[in-house]
Amino acid sequence: MSAVLTPSTTATTTGLDIAPVSGRIGAEVRGLRLSGALPAATFTAIKQALYRHKLLFFRGQQQLDDAGQQAFGRLFGELVDHPTVPSKDGTQILELDSNHGGRANSWHTDVTFEVAYPQVSILRAVTLPPYGGDTVWANTAAAYDELTPALKALAENLWALHGNDYDYAATRVTPDAHGAKRYQEVFTRRLIQAEHPLVRVHPETGERTLVSGHFIKNFIGYNTQDSDHLFAIFQNHITRLENTVRWRWAEGDVAIWDNRATQHYAINDYGDAHRVMRRITVSGDAPVAVDGQRSRARPNPARSTA
């Protein structure tokens, strides 16, 4: 299955006005107001477009407040809280506030330290800096497709341990002290680990996608040095510029991505300016490897009290 999009600017088969924004990932859906009361046919068309493009953008969605964002998200399925970070005001919304450690500037797929990590993420722009603060996404199905047969065979036999206690400083060129403190006190207050195949079969499209990103701690059966080399090989394929798209946010923009087929990176290039985004995630499924094995939980190691 090819991961390269057709050059057509409008996907007439879905009834939506869709304009691709890059060759392999991402499309803008025009002229549609999101809500929890969309007609079933319209929502079905959105899902079809999402599976095709992996990532959809909707401009000018100022009508959405927190409740509206959640109502729309529930059309996809059950909303899930972040497993360690408190949600905003008792909602299921994760607020990413740059003044409170919300600068996720490293490549990742959301919450892969959980066995059944989210299937869909929905992000809404609330407050934006005067410059910078873009987000970049990568297509992990396209990355798998471009591997040589030998690398595909290797990838399909690799499993990795994912954990929320990844090395925060190692994934950032200039680690932020406030972000590091929040990471230690909030993000890792409860250790969570899962074993995933590097290659999963997408339950809706049948595509094979790479499950990677900064939550990987090591490949099972490999030492640290070999794990690092393997990680670099496959992660570099995912983040090749040809597999990515970069979005310049405007207030009221909404992005929806297939979390089973993408990675993303929020660029921290706006200094002390304020940036607030609000995200919801939809309950997912445990990845299934090419050989039919499912991801599994890893018992958490006892923490030292010394």
Side-chain angles (χ1 to χ4, degrees), residues 6 13 32 37 41 49 87 90 174 200 210-211 251 257 282-283 294:
T6 64
T13 57
L32 182 64
S87 298
T174 53
R200 72 174 293 179
L210 296 177
V211 184
E251 289 186 6
W257 61 93
V282 181
S283 176
R294 289 186 176 273

Side-chain angles (χ1 to χ4, degrees), residues 77-94:
E78 179 186 1
L79 302 186
V80 289
D81 294 321
H82 191 282
T84 60
V85 181
S87 298
K88 177 182 179 290
D89 300 330
T91 67
Q92 291 174 303
I93 289 178
L94 178 66

Side-chain angles (χ1 to χ4, degrees), residues 60-138:
Q61 302 296 314
Q62 281 85 353
Q63 81 282 356
L64 284 183
D65 55 11
D66 291 350
Q69 183 178 2
Q70 291 177 100
F72 171 68
R74 290 190 188 101
L75 296 178
F76 287 93
E78 179 186 1
L79 302 186
V80 289
D81 294 321
H82 191 282
T84 60
V85 181
S87 298
K88 177 182 179 290
D89 300 330
T91 67
Q92 291 174 303
I93 289 178
L94 178 66
E95 183 166 80
L96 304 169
D97 187 330
S98 62
N99 289 346
H100 301 287
R103 298 179 184 242
N105 55 320
S106 59
W107 282 106
H108 65 286
T109 295
D110 285 334
V111 199
T112 59
F113 46 87
E114 291 270 22
V115 172
Y117 58 86
Q119 60 165 295
V120 170
S121 294
I122 303 172
L123 188 64
R124 175 167 59 101
V126 177
T127 301
L128 294 171
Y131 58 85
D134 297 356
T135 304
V136 186
W137 285 263

